[in-house]
DNA sequence: TCAAAAGTGTTCTCCCTACACCCATGG
DNA sequence: CCATGGGTGTAGGGAGAACACTTTTGA
């Protein structure tokens, strides 16, 4: 039962992947956490993840764990850091390769699995297991850098969205405030948004235009090289 | 001799660190390579690196290997990616955590160690061992992103340098050309350079001012949040 | 009729860009 | 004296920032 059959000439660390899953509810940035059912840190919340198999790359492992623990498939994930403090796991030496994922929040309902999974707004995240607090900070830092080169909204917003939602997203990620009119002008200027004929009524006050991302225009723009300035 | 005494319940990959060391000779960006003395890929050039010890973090491991293989100490290193293709090493499953280092080229003379080490200009890098070609491409990509948020010149240039050297550095990293006058204005505008009283004679034609980086001003600027625009 | 949200245009300023001339030196 | 490299200023254009009024609708 505690049989140890995999032997090496030199000591090897265990390797896991963990995935910080970002979602956006239209107002606030959220992360998906799962509650640990076993020791160590039983009952604590943590990012979904687990041990890497020997025949899969880290990316494949991260996607597999995501599927197993949250049901998510085909998410956009990006590796951002390996955490390797020798004491970060009380069981044995574990190095984790951390990814972040950007998903449309409605693709995942919390707690649809054996594990309890739930969305938490950034400022309501409880103390996490292992060094996952640090992992979250680092993920946020990297997401903030990424947003300057990639329109992350593609992944986080629903197909159709209002300009205000897009602005809220940028404000939530970067933790800044923009002038409504200037923001609209700037975003339209990139020509990666399509203004739809439809409108919606996000508040009971007045209807607002819906937009969608134009993937083609974006790809063209990106090939020429561009920067999103904020 | 092939005794395998480190045993685990589940298979564990080996973990190494590799370090892409960038230097700048005043004109071209260079990388430091070591020639492998053992199989696999014996005789091929590769980035310095090696197996992680169980009581050190990846960063410590990368710094140790750097010291052992090139004599470099206290370099500025930054982790940028974990490479984990299951077949990237023919011996066994090896995951490598890759770092890049920015160093003043005169701090390291090639071949000062048991291993042969040498500087190669970017466009003269020979085919490398393992997946190190891919590692180099990725390192360059990350360095190019980094330069937008950090004045990487700090680490790559000598204490005192000319404006032309600084411009050459930016041009080498980003592979673009700038207008001499506009570049000077832009750099001085950040107030992170100190123009020294001294001059130098880089070519026998005319003497040129020397500058140094002002770390204090830079730290102030960075705290307020800034972007280097290029 | 009032409050809340959304849509829209103008002005000003600053920074980026393009561009040309002078000076010092060595050959 | 000429070729090479370095130092410097200006004029024009474009993009970001600041800013206010109108419309719609539900309460």
């Amino acid at each position: 039962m505690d049989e140890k059959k995999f032997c090496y000439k030199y000591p090897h660390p265990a390797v896991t992947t963990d995935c910080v899953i970002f979602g956006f509810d239209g107002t606030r940035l959220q992360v998906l956490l799962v509650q640990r059912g076993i020791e160590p840190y039983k009952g604590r919340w943590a990012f979904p993840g687990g041990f890497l198999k020997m025949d899969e790359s880290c990316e494949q492992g991260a996607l597999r764990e995501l599927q197993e623990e949250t049901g998510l498939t085909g998410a956009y994930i990006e590796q951002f850091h390996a955490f390797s403090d020798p004491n970060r796991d009380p069981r044995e030496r574990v190095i984790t390769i951390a990814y972040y994922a950007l998903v449309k929040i409605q693709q995942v309902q919390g707690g649809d699995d054996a594990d309890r999974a739930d969305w938490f707004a950034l400022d309501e995240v409880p103390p996490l297991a292992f060094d996952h607090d640090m992992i979250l900070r680092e993920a946020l830092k990297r997401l903030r850098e990424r947003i300057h080169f990639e329109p992350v909204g593609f992944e986080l917003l629903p197909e159709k969205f209002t300009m205000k939602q897009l602005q809220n997203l940028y404000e939530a990620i970067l933790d800044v405030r923009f002038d409504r009119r200037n923001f609209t002008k700037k975003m339209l200027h990139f020509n990666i948004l399509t203004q739809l004929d439809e409108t919606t009524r996000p508040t009971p006050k007045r209807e607002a235009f819906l937009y969608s991302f134009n993937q083609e225009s974006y790809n063209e723009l990106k090939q020429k090289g561009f920067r999103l300035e904020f």
Side-chain angles (χ1 to χ4, degrees), chain A residues 114-130:
Chain A
D115 289 332
R116 268 180 62 193
D118 244 318
W119 288 102
F120 290 80
L122 272 191
D123 52 5
E124 291 167 1
V125 170
L128 302 177
F130 304 104

Side-chain angles (χ1 to χ4, degrees), chain A residues 27-144:
Chain A
T27 308
R28 294 193 298 176
L29 201 58
Q30 317 244 349
V31 289
L32 186 65
L33 300 174
V34 296
Q35 195 168 27
R36 288 181 61 80
I38 56 166
E39 295 292 349
Y41 295 101
K42 183 172 178 176
R44 286 256 214 147
W45 296 87
F47 296 114
F51 290 94
L52 186 67
K53 303 199 164 167
M54 292 301 270
D55 59 352
E56 66 187 3
S57 67
C58 287
E59 178 158 336
Q60 288 164 347
L63 287 170
R64 177 181 50 77
E65 292 286 349
L66 222 55
Q67 150 94 66
E68 289 175 10
E69 300 192 35
T70 71
L72 254 176
T73 57
Y76 166 85
I77 69 173
E78 177 137 340
Q79 186 191 307
F80 69 93
H81 200 76
F83 294 84
S84 61
D85 184 290
N87 304 310
R88 58 177 295 283
D89 190 311
R91 294 167 294 185
E92 62 172 322
R93 175 79 201 266
V94 180
I95 291 171
T96 196
I97 315 290
Y99 286 76
Y100 66 77
L102 304 179
V103 308
K104 305 187 200 307
I105 205 166
Q106 59 274 37
Q107 286 177 344
V108 194
Q109 23 270 42
D112 63 342
D113 209 75
D115 289 332
R116 268 180 62 193
D118 244 318
W119 288 102
F120 290 80
L122 272 191
D123 52 5
E124 291 167 1
V125 170
L128 302 177
F130 304 104
D131 54 355
H132 286 201
D133 296 306
M134 192 198 308
I135 292 179
L136 176 56
R137 281 198 304 277
E138 197 66 26
L140 254 178
K141 194 175 133 197
R142 295 296 295 277
L143 176 59
R144 286 184 178 137

